[in-house]
Amino acid sequence: MLLSILIPVYRVQKYIERCVVSLFEQTMQNNIEFIFVDDCSDDESVNVLMKTLDRYPKRKTQVLLLKHSKNRGLAASRQTALAKASGDYVLTVDSDDWLELNACEILQKKALRTNADIVMFDHYVNYASKQCHYRQESAYTGLECLDLLFKGKMHGGTCTKLIKRKLYLDNKITYIEGLNMLEDISVVFRLFYFAQHIEYIPQPLYHYFQGNANSYCTQMSPSSCENILDLLHLMKSFFVEHKVSATLLDSFNYFYASSILSILMSVNSFTLYQKYAKYLNRHQHLDLKEMTQARKLVYLLCKKSPSYFSYSAISAFRLLRKVRNWFYNR
């Protein structure tokens, strides 16, 4: 059984060596391919990649390096790699992150034993001076996973999921070029919808790094906000088309509100705050019991207080979060 590891490359010269070493030192020696996509990175990322590869001559036949003719964004890079993959299963790895050295071997064994459509696993979140283990709730059908995803109990990234390539192909699931914020969820929600068999490994195999200032996840620009709205509209249209249950729609409404709250917790413009706060008006009777305390407080501030006051309070929360991340990354 062949595994395809998909790695976008863009402005990661400080971090890519750590990522590449974790890939090439995997205990799984055979039946693996590494597909890197250079999205016209304008730093030394690719040079660092090639110099690191020189230290692992036995891996060279397993490596494919692709290059875009112009910068096209993260979603396009993931799709370029996916289109060239030939593995039975695929795993995405961001080039500022890294894997546990036995991750691929563990995942391959689980996939061989169960023939699952998706194998999920836990992950670490890494700061310079702190590491946190994030656990997922488990489920064994795709619709159950969708419900957990919408309630914030399951990680939405493809980096924490080994996915059968046939699941992408049979259901014509692709990344959407230009949708670079929450681009993973744009494919994960469809993968879950069509998946019949899910497996879960309660072990952290992936390391998410929180210190890359160039990461899409650390920047909430106006275009990122619009990406989130585009994703929400895409999801709503998909669920209407496929006539999902009222229960799942309720869960999606919770996810919708939670995503808008993410925008409101990140924008640093009062004008943008006012623009996106109006999207909460359609959730007058949202069930808050599943919501984290921070999001619940932000939701209540938005709904119950004047916008100038709620924006000021949320800005203070955002500053505290930045101070926390600075402290962790010292």
Side-chain angles (χ1 to χ4, degrees):
M1 186 186 80
L2 181 66
L3 262 61
S4 297
I5 314 299
L6 318 180
I7 314 102
V9 178
Y10 185 68
R11 291 184 178 175
V12 285
Q13 65 180 26
K14 294 180 181 179
Y15 317 110
I16 191 170
E17 180 180 2
R18 177 180 58 193
C19 173
V20 171
V21 168
S22 82
L23 299 177
F24 294 164
E25 293 191 1
Q26 286 292 307
T27 56
M28 183 174 171
Q29 294 296 311
N30 303 309
N31 299 317
I32 190 169
E33 65 177 7
F34 305 96
I35 304 176
F36 295 89
V37 178
D38 173 16
D39 194 28
C40 287
S41 187
D42 53 6
D43 62 2
E44 293 297 310
S45 297
V46 175
N47 288 337
V48 174
L49 163 61
M50 300 311 294
K51 287 179 181 178
T52 308
L53 176 58
D54 286 340
R55 290 153 42 190
Y56 301 90
K58 292 183 180 179
R59 292 292 193 189
K60 288 190 175 183
T61 59
Q62 300 172 333
V63 171
L64 177 62
L65 175 60
L66 307 172
K67 181 177 174 60
H68 285 161
S69 59
K70 63 179 181 178
N71 178 256
R72 294 168 55 190
L74 182 58
S77 295
R78 293 198 194 280
Q79 184 56 40
T80 295
L82 179 61
K84 287 292 185 179
S86 54
D88 301 284
Y89 285 83
V90 297
L91 175 67
T92 59
V93 177
D94 288 340
S95 46
D96 53 355
D97 299 331
W98 67 98
L99 292 176
E100 289 287 291
L101 298 185
N102 59 350
C104 291
E105 183 178 0
I106 291 172
L107 291 169
Q108 184 202 45
K109 288 179 178 178
K110 187 75 165 181
L112 280 171
R113 187 167 65 250
T114 64
N115 195 34
D117 294 314
I118 300 173
V119 179
M120 301 189 305
F121 47 93
D122 290 349
H123 65 278
Y124 291 114
V125 171
N126 288 87
Y127 303 89
S129 60
K130 187 178 179 68
Q131 176 173 279
C132 304
H133 176 185
Y134 279 78
R135 296 172 175 83
Q136 301 196 70
E137 290 197 18
S138 59
Y140 296 96
T141 69
L143 292 182
E144 289 174 322
C145 287
L146 265 181
D147 183 64
L148 291 173
L149 174 67
F150 290 156
K151 291 177 178 176
K153 297 180 179 180
M154 182 176 291
H155 187 261
T158 51
C159 294
T160 54
K161 298 163 185 67
L162 183 71
I163 300 164
K164 189 177 285 186
R165 189 165 65 95
K166 191 172 184 292
L167 189 63
Y168 283 103
L169 297 176
D170 287 354
N171 299 291
K172 297 179 173 59
I173 297 171
T174 61
Y175 289 90
I176 302 169
E177 185 162 353
L179 189 66
N180 295 313
M181 177 60 70
L182 301 185
E183 81 291 338
D184 279 353
I185 291 181
S186 73
V187 299
V188 165
F189 88 87
R190 289 176 284 166
L191 291 167
F192 276 156
Y193 180 82
F194 292 110
Q196 299 297 314
H197 182 187
I198 312 288
E199 289 287 337
Y200 167 62
I201 299 173
Q203 181 177 347
L205 301 176
Y206 192 93
H207 292 260
Y208 271 106
F209 179 57
Q210 298 297 300
N212 182 4
N214 292 320
S215 169
Y216 279 101
C217 297
T218 62
Q219 305 176 69
M220 185 67 82
S221 64
S223 63
S224 299
C225 298
E226 290 301 312
N227 272 184
I228 293 175
L229 284 182
D230 289 343
L231 171 62
L232 294 173
H233 295 151
L234 169 71
M235 296 170 80
K236 185 175 181 180
S237 297
F238 180 92
F239 294 138
V240 169
E241 177 186 350
H242 290 84
K243 300 178 181 178
V244 301
S245 68
T247 300
L248 189 58
L249 280 178
D250 285 343
S251 296
F252 171 67
N253 285 334
Y254 173 87
F255 176 80
Y256 189 109
S258 185
S259 299
I260 297 299
L261 288 174
S262 293
I263 293 177
L264 298 179
M265 293 168 69
S266 301
V267 294
N268 54 9
S269 158
F270 183 56
T271 301
L272 286 177
Y273 177 84
Q274 288 181 305
K275 175 182 177 179
Y276 294 109
K278 68 183 181 182
Y279 287 95
L280 287 179
N281 292 336
R282 65 196 66 184
H283 299 285
Q284 298 289 345
H285 306 293
L286 189 69
D287 187 353
L288 302 182
K289 67 178 182 293
E290 303 286 354
M291 198 172 283
T292 64
Q293 291 300 317
R295 288 181 185 273
K296 188 182 299 184
L297 179 58
V298 171
Y299 179 80
L300 292 174
L301 277 169
C302 294
K303 298 292 288 185
K304 305 294 185 182
S305 62
S307 57
Y308 64 86
F309 176 82
S310 58
Y311 175 72
S312 298
I314 293 168
S315 296
F317 296 152
R318 185 168 61 250
L319 178 60
L320 288 173
R321 186 168 56 183
K322 287 182 178 179
V323 170
R324 181 203 65 182
N325 289 352
W326 172 84
F327 180 78
Y328 287 164
N329 282 313
R330 284 190 307 170

